Amino acid sequence: MIANAIANVFRGERARVLATTIRVCNGDFELAEEAVQDAFAAALQRWPDEGLPEEPRAWLVQVARFKAIDVIRRRIKLRSIVETEPEREAPEVQPVQDDRLRLIFTCCHPALAREAQVALTLRTLGGLTTEEIARAFLTSPVTMAQRLVRAKTKIRDAGIPYEVPEPSELPARLDAVMEVVYLIFNEGYAATAGDAWVRRDLCGEAIRLGRLLVELVDLYAQTPAPELRGLLALMLLHDARRDARTDEAGDVVLLEDQDRSRWNRAQIDEALALVPLALRGGRGPYPVEAAIAALHASAATPADTDWPQIAALFHELYRRKPTPVVALNRAVAIAMWQGPADGLALLDELGTALEHFHLWHAARADLLRRLGRTAEAAAAYREALARAGSEPERRFLARRLSELASGTR
Amino acid sequence: MQYLLMIYEPEKVWTEMTEDSRNKMFGEYMEFTKSVKASGHFKAGDALQPTATATTVRVRDGKTQVTDGPFAETREQLGGYYLIEAANLDEATKIAARIPSARFGSIEVRPIMVFNP
Amino acid sequence: MKYVLLIHLDESHQPGPEVMPKYVALADDLKAKGQWGGGARLQHSREAKTLRREHVTDGPFAEAREQLGGFYLVDVATRAEAEAIAARIPAAAWGAVEVRPILEFSPP
């Protein structure tokens, strides 16, 4: 019983205890990790006899702080013998905003390489072990451990501050944090390789980080963060469809063919409540992407999909994020709304930018098929097949091609 | 902490500039230098002559070899540096971003090694 | 004339303990002769970050096998003197030292 309770405390509070301890240690990640480990070890020894303290987190922070200060004192003493430097007091601990916010901004600092940002965020704020992160990103635990050490060394030696950025810099820095969170989510959601359960874990971690960020940034900025709500809603909506996205054989099931009763309703409802808040004042792409996903999630059947609104939202998304891929999606939405001929004309305009992209060929193939231009459709499917990356996608395209040949589609 | 801000830029930017823009850039550099001196961040700084004036020296087996030219031919060249004192990397980066050449070149920000005797 | 001596070296090379005193002796000698203008040893280039048109990226400016490891600023009468000092920098034995004159601004 008590073992379970202790395990829960460790899981639930590790990031927070670590975040505060790093601040106590003047931003020294290594020292803080050591101190937190010591504190957990002390808890494991004492709590079974003494029972859980009233505030386990405060207890752990306190013990970790003592362990860290011990080490700092020892270091200063050693140095002062050499330098006869006046002894510095261990840093005062004043109550400030949640330290996890400092932690995430430091982990996602632009001076760190993107892969280091991701690894460090998962290791310190997420509950993932180095082995789990390595497995999720298909590298060896040794490589991942080295990457983490290098990142921590850089934070220390390059003088990356353990601070929440000033309000004037917050939007830009928050963009970087959101990119990392979304990258973690996509790694779990869209990755074509790796352990299925580890990838599910990554999606869960990303959503958890999204929830945490909404809570912390609201508190820090004293105003609701619409952008973050957009990101969180987007992740919740995608994740809600996870089980329906593939069949038993692991093959891709298109949105229009998915069994909508298998979508996670509770998660969709949570996201739907967030979308209006996100659109109100959120200027980046996530709120709009979330709104599009929300419209899909709200349609009881594919025929009920509100294509005119989705097309309008893709217009808006293209304004915020003018990439060929967004233009491709917009063309598909217009095709669903106004007919395949209009969509095809738009797609053909994008040809020069997207020729190398298998989804462009796949979208063209689909519209040509709907227009009854079978031979051209088959040619386009073959083009798509020649460029597709993942095995399930290739199987899907091959299936479509053979259906076309036998006249079943 | 001390940081070295290294200014990399295509040298031809300076030679291809009109006299007027060059004077304007010099003026901006002087402004910048004055301001980092006033704020107490400045430790040292210099502009370098173009790489055409560079010589590279190596000592191998006790023998000195001198070759004409810079250490490496690159698209952008080291044109100057500032040595500054800053609280942390973010402060150093903000100062680096104010260097006039940051608008067309690149500034590498490197912490200086501190030796504990 | 002022010259900057740029020390390029392979960062994986770990010099032995005998090297440090040589650096100290060189600096002392330059100071005694009034040739010393300053100098610093840089941290490993992986601690660097580069601003490209106000966009911050991780890592040094150029990914090369040899990196800038430090520099000296010397004030000497001739280029030959600067080159002679460059040859006395310990890292010249395993890396390379680039000698570049400083741009002197004549007061307007």
Side-chain angles (χ1 to χ4, degrees):
Chain A
M1 244 5 247
I2 183 96
N4 252 340
I6 293 174
N8 278 339
V9 169
F10 285 9
R11 219 184 355 261
E13 303 288 8
R14 183 181 174 276
R16 233 172 142 170
V17 172
L18 179 62
T20 301
T21 310
I22 294 172
R23 175 164 54 78
V24 175
C25 298
N26 271 335
D28 187 333
F29 276 61
E30 302 271 9
L31 172 61
E33 281 182 330
E34 207 182 302
V36 168
Q37 212 155 33
D38 285 355
F40 281 156
L44 221 43
Q45 236 175 26
R46 288 173 51 184
W47 291 1
D49 296 335
E50 300 172 10
L52 242 55
E54 223 161 281
E55 291 187 61
R57 192 206 319 148
W59 191 97
L60 288 165
V61 167
Q62 192 68 12
V63 173
R65 180 187 301 161
F66 285 143
K67 301 267 182 204
I69 288 173
D70 263 2
V71 178
I72 293 175
R73 285 236 168 88
R74 238 175 298 145
R75 284 186 191 169
I76 288 171
K77 221 177 230 159
L78 283 177
R79 228 191 315 154
S80 64
I81 295 168
V82 188
E83 291 178 12
T84 59
E85 191 187 78
E87 182 158 342
R88 265 187 302 160
E89 260 308 297
E92 256 318 290
V93 182
Q94 67 269 66
V96 280
Q97 84 273 358
D98 198 310
D99 286 309
R100 285 173 298 179
L101 202 54
R102 293 169 192 269
L103 184 52
I104 194 158
F105 277 111
T106 304
C107 290
C108 301
H109 195 281
L112 297 171
R114 179 49 47 86
E115 52 183 23
Q117 296 175 355
V118 169
L120 209 53
T121 302
L122 285 171
R123 181 72 194 97
T124 59
L125 277 149
L128 268 58
T129 63
T130 306
E131 289 73 28
E132 285 167 336
I133 303 168
R135 205 155 2 128
F137 290 90
L138 303 176
T139 52
S140 73
V142 176
T143 308
M144 188 53 73
Q146 281 168 346
R147 188 179 297 172
L148 285 163
V149 168
R150 263 204 307 278
K152 285 182 273 192
T153 309
K154 174 145 189 180
I155 289 173
R156 190 191 62 218
D157 291 348
I160 294 175
Y162 193 57
E163 279 170 12
V164 178
E166 295 159 26
S168 66
E169 289 165 26
L170 196 62
R173 292 284 305 277
L174 201 52
D175 281 352
V177 172
M178 287 192 289
E179 247 178 76
V180 167
V181 173
Y182 199 38
L183 198 95
I184 292 171
F185 180 83
N186 269 322
E187 198 56 43
Y189 188 72
T192 46
D195 238 281
W197 72 264
V198 174
R199 282 191 280 126
R200 180 173 294 250
D201 244 28
L202 285 181
C203 288
E205 278 301 329
I207 290 173
R208 211 177 59 78
L209 285 168
R211 287 206 178 96
L212 181 67
L213 275 167
V214 166
E215 179 194 323
L216 296 180
V217 172
D218 278 6
L219 209 64
Y220 173 72
Q222 297 289 315
T223 124
E227 225 48 68
L228 274 173
R229 286 182 166 72
L231 172 62
L232 177 57
L234 182 62
M235 293 192 295
L236 286 168
L237 288 164
H238 281 329
D239 191 63
R241 295 202 296 255
R242 156 194 300 284
D243 290 339
R245 280 172 73 226
T246 47
D247 61 16
E248 289 82 29
D251 281 341
V252 176
V253 181
L254 284 191
L255 188 58
E256 59 180 81
D257 300 326
Q258 286 174 12
D259 175 0
R260 297 186 178 217
S261 68
R262 291 177 68 198
W263 291 358
N264 182 335
R265 267 293 134 198
Q267 217 165 290
I268 289 173
D269 289 342
E270 184 188 349
L272 291 183
L274 290 167
V275 171
L277 300 170
L279 285 171
R280 212 170 297 142
R283 279 191 289 272
Y286 298 124
V288 181
E289 286 178 67
I292 293 166
L295 285 175
H296 282 302
S298 311
T301 68
D304 294 328
T305 310
D306 188 347
W307 288 110
Q309 234 200 111
I310 289 177
L313 283 166
F314 270 118
H315 266 303
E316 177 57 24
L317 185 60
Y318 188 75
R319 207 179 55 75
R320 298 180 185 204
K321 201 166 89 175
T323 67
V325 176
V326 174
L328 170 68
N329 282 301
R330 181 176 62 179
V332 171
I334 288 172
M336 297 304 291
W337 171 29
Q338 295 184 325
D342 286 8
L344 190 61
L346 286 169
L347 275 186
D348 286 343
E349 282 173 29
L350 296 169
T352 42
L354 290 173
E355 253 178 342
H356 60 281
F357 188 42
H358 68 282
L359 288 180
W360 179 76
H361 292 282
R364 277 193 83 240
D366 188 53
L367 295 185
L368 286 165
R369 176 182 63 81
R370 285 170 203 247
L371 288 167
R373 289 155 68 176
T374 313
E376 289 166 85
Y381 274 127
R382 267 181 229 110
E383 293 283 347
L385 204 51
R387 292 172 176 83
S390 84
E391 207 36 56
E393 272 176 326
R394 297 176 55 81
R395 280 203 301 272
F396 169 79
L397 290 167
R399 201 166 68 224
R400 273 288 156 105
L401 191 56
S402 71
E403 285 166 357
L404 203 61
S406 63
T408 50
R409 271 269 180 182
Chain B
M1 284 182 74
Q2 283 187 24
Y3 293 87
L4 188 67
L5 313 181
M6 288 172 270
I7 303 161
Y8 287 91
E9 59 199 357
E11 284 175 349
K12 62 179 188 339
V13 169
W14 286 90
T15 48
E16 286 170 1
M17 251 181 217
T18 63
E19 185 79 36
D20 272 1
S21 349
R22 197 159 38 236
N23 286 338
K24 205 171 146 276
M25 280 295 284
F26 277 140
E28 284 184 41
Y29 262 103
M30 257 139 82
E31 271 306 299
F32 169 75
T33 308
K34 216 164 77 189
S35 127
V36 282
K37 277 180 177 163
S39 60
H41 292 107
F42 181 90
K43 306 286 288 182
D46 278 299
L48 306 188
Q49 298 270 14
T51 46
T53 66
T55 313
T56 299
V57 178
R58 291 178 176 82
V59 177
R60 296 292 182 267
D61 303 323
K63 278 200 203 94
T64 304
Q65 310 163 352
V66 178
T67 48
D68 178 43
F71 167 70
E73 296 287 350
T74 46
R75 203 173 52 78
E76 294 183 294
Q77 296 79 26
L78 187 68
Y81 71 91
Y82 284 91
L83 182 64
I84 59 156
E85 175 75 43
N88 55 46
L89 184 62
D90 283 0
E91 197 186 9
T93 309
K94 268 186 220 149
I95 293 169
R98 286 164 51 206
I99 295 178
S101 296
R103 297 199 302 269
F104 51 89
S106 307
I107 316 292
E108 181 176 329
V109 181
R110 285 266 291 278
I112 294 291
M113 196 99 99
V114 181
F115 295 100
N116 288 325
Chain C
M1 279 187 77
K2 283 189 180 150
Y3 290 86
V4 67
L5 313 181
L6 301 162
I7 303 163
H8 298 271
L9 42 80
D10 181 348
E11 294 178 313
S12 61
H13 178 91
Q14 293 276 355
E18 75 285 356
V19 168
M20 238 358 252
K22 290 187 189 165
Y23 272 106
V24 175
L26 176 61
D28 286 347
D29 186 46
L30 293 175
K31 281 173 190 163
K33 290 183 180 140
Q35 295 173 324
W36 172 261
R41 179 162 164 209
L42 303 183
Q43 289 207 19
H44 197 283
S45 64
R46 64 169 171 254
E47 312 304 338
K49 96 180 195 173
T50 301
L51 265 80
R52 277 171 219 274
R53 284 156 207 94
E54 305 212 6
H55 180 82
V56 177
T57 53
D58 170 54
F61 166 72
E63 289 292 347
R65 201 173 59 82
E66 287 173 301
Q67 293 286 349
L68 193 66
F71 74 97
Y72 281 87
L73 193 62
V74 294
D75 193 354
V76 290
T78 65
R79 172 182 282 267
E81 260 182 273
E83 285 169 7
I85 294 169
R88 286 167 59 200
I89 295 175
W94 62 86
V97 182
E98 181 178 335
V99 180
R100 289 268 295 278
I102 294 291
L103 205 57
E104 309 258 14
F105 295 100
S106 43

